[in-house]
Amino acid sequence: MRFGIAILPEYRWQDAARRWRQAEEYGFDHAWTYDHLTWSGLQDSPWFGTTPTLTAAATVTSTIKLGTFVTSPNFRHPLALTRDILAIDDVSGGRFLCGIGAGGSLDATIQGGPDLTPRQRQDRYEEFVQLLDTLLTTDGVDFKGEYYETRNGRTLPGCVQQPRLPLILAGNGPRSVRFAANHGDGWMTTGGDKTSLDTWFASLTDLSHRLDDLLEGRHLDRYLSMDSAQYAVSSPAAFEEIAGRAAALGFTDLITHWPRAEGVYGGSEDVLEEIATELIPRLR
């Protein structure tokens, strides 16, 4: 099992840099940041751009993988995102992981535009991923879909990726899980009913079984946002319980959040250090 940590893009770089360095020193396999324009509950907090944050993180680390948790079609075009992906992957020396989802409700409306139904947002997401995949692997793409268009979208032979960097597709429902199984290099989820830890794991059990049926024996890495129902870094015992139950469902990668001073994901960096240095080595 691999372990990752999400560092919200809310810190000035003089404060953020040491967190990214420390994540690597702690031995985390991957580190992530949110790719949103804002996030529910933190609209009054500082919030910095994802692409420059990950680029800066690449310059202060050397081995840890770096990813978006997650990017979405809400405010990006696949061709523009291709440029960002190629740059971050190049600066990091091939360490970039691209997490992609249909997008949160705040990002979907903050710039105006038409209100899409959940089905339309899923349609757009699937078109987004398929065009992004093509742009990353093919030079000179002409495409006209319902939501996106490219006219001779150039990637250039020197930048075309074979094999393509990993696209980890988020999904919390039957259709999005099916799409991840068919098109993703990994599946990422926050689960369903978050009323309690037990109801959350019941939803994860259902989603995991659906994925098993779709894969028919094929392997797909499975990434879990482990703080969805209870903050895992609240204590070593909480972290160990969530990690153990997730491992039993076949999750290969678990992602927690760097403790914040207060509010959502509020916690202690001392507890994080204990989990990273003492508990995680035993759980691998």
Side-chain angles (χ1 to χ4, degrees):
M1 180 172 283
R2 295 176 292 265
F3 293 87
I5 191 156
I7 302 169
L8 299 187
E10 59 179 334
Y11 308 101
R12 292 190 177 278
W13 187 245
Q14 63 184 11
D15 298 321
R18 66 100 178 165
R19 290 173 167 84
W20 292 92
R21 284 193 295 264
Q22 192 67 63
E24 182 168 90
E25 292 169 4
Y26 279 153
F28 282 103
D29 298 284
H30 30 71
W32 311 75
T33 199
Y34 285 12
D35 193 15
H36 299 292
L37 295 176
T38 187
W39 194 62
S40 179
L42 294 177
Q43 295 97 319
D44 295 327
S45 298
W47 202 259
F48 297 99
T50 302
T51 298
T53 295
L54 288 175
T55 303
T59 68
V60 297
T61 59
S62 58
T63 59
I64 193 170
K65 292 186 178 296
L66 306 169
T68 51
F69 192 57
V70 295
T71 195
S72 81
N74 278 342
F75 57 95
R76 295 198 182 278
H77 187 285
L79 182 57
L81 180 60
T82 297
R83 297 289 184 258
D84 288 344
I85 285 174
L86 292 172
I88 297 172
D89 198 54
D90 180 54
V91 173
S92 68
R95 291 185 283 136
F96 182 62
L97 300 170
C98 188
I100 314 175
S105 57
L106 279 177
D107 283 343
T109 58
I110 196 169
Q111 295 185 126
D115 290 332
L116 302 182
T117 66
R119 180 173 182 174
Q120 289 172 321
R121 286 169 65 180
Q122 182 66 25
D123 289 342
R124 184 184 62 170
Y125 164 55
E126 294 182 7
E127 183 177 300
F128 182 91
V129 171
Q130 290 169 328
L131 177 54
L132 178 65
D133 187 0
T134 302
L135 288 164
L136 286 170
T137 56
T138 309
D139 182 36
V141 178
D142 291 309
F143 177 87
K144 186 172 179 60
E146 184 175 355
Y147 298 96
Y148 300 102
E149 180 178 359
T150 59
R151 302 175 186 178
N152 191 27
R154 303 301 308 278
T155 305
L156 303 181
C159 294
V160 167
Q161 296 193 336
Q162 301 290 351
R164 174 189 38 67
L165 60 81
L167 301 182
I168 302 164
L169 305 185
N172 299 321
R175 180 178 170 185
S176 55
V177 170
R178 182 171 63 252
F179 185 70
N182 292 331
H183 296 277
D185 302 295
W187 167 56
M188 179 179 287
T189 188
T190 58
D193 187 345
K194 303 172 180 62
T195 305
S196 69
L197 203 58
D198 287 337
T199 60
W200 183 57
F201 268 106
S203 74
L204 292 174
T205 300
D206 178 64
L207 291 172
S208 297
H209 288 167
R210 286 179 183 273
L211 185 65
D212 289 337
D213 293 340
L214 291 163
L215 292 175
E216 297 181 332
R218 292 184 291 119
H219 173 78
L220 189 70
D221 287 342
R222 307 179 187 204
Y223 294 73
L224 176 64
S225 179
M226 62 189 303
D227 301 324
S228 298
Q230 175 183 332
Y231 185 39
V233 180
S234 60
S235 71
F239 191 96
E240 186 166 16
E241 178 185 1
I242 294 170
R245 295 176 71 170
L249 291 177
F251 283 95
T252 59
D253 295 78
L254 303 183
I255 303 169
T256 190
H257 291 75
W258 194 281
R260 302 178 66 251
E262 58 185 5
V264 63
Y265 311 131
S268 166
E269 291 193 12
D270 290 339
V271 174
L272 175 65
E273 181 176 9
E274 179 181 352
I275 289 170
T277 59
E278 299 180 21
L279 180 57
I280 286 178
R282 292 197 287 108
L283 296 175
R284 290 190 188 277

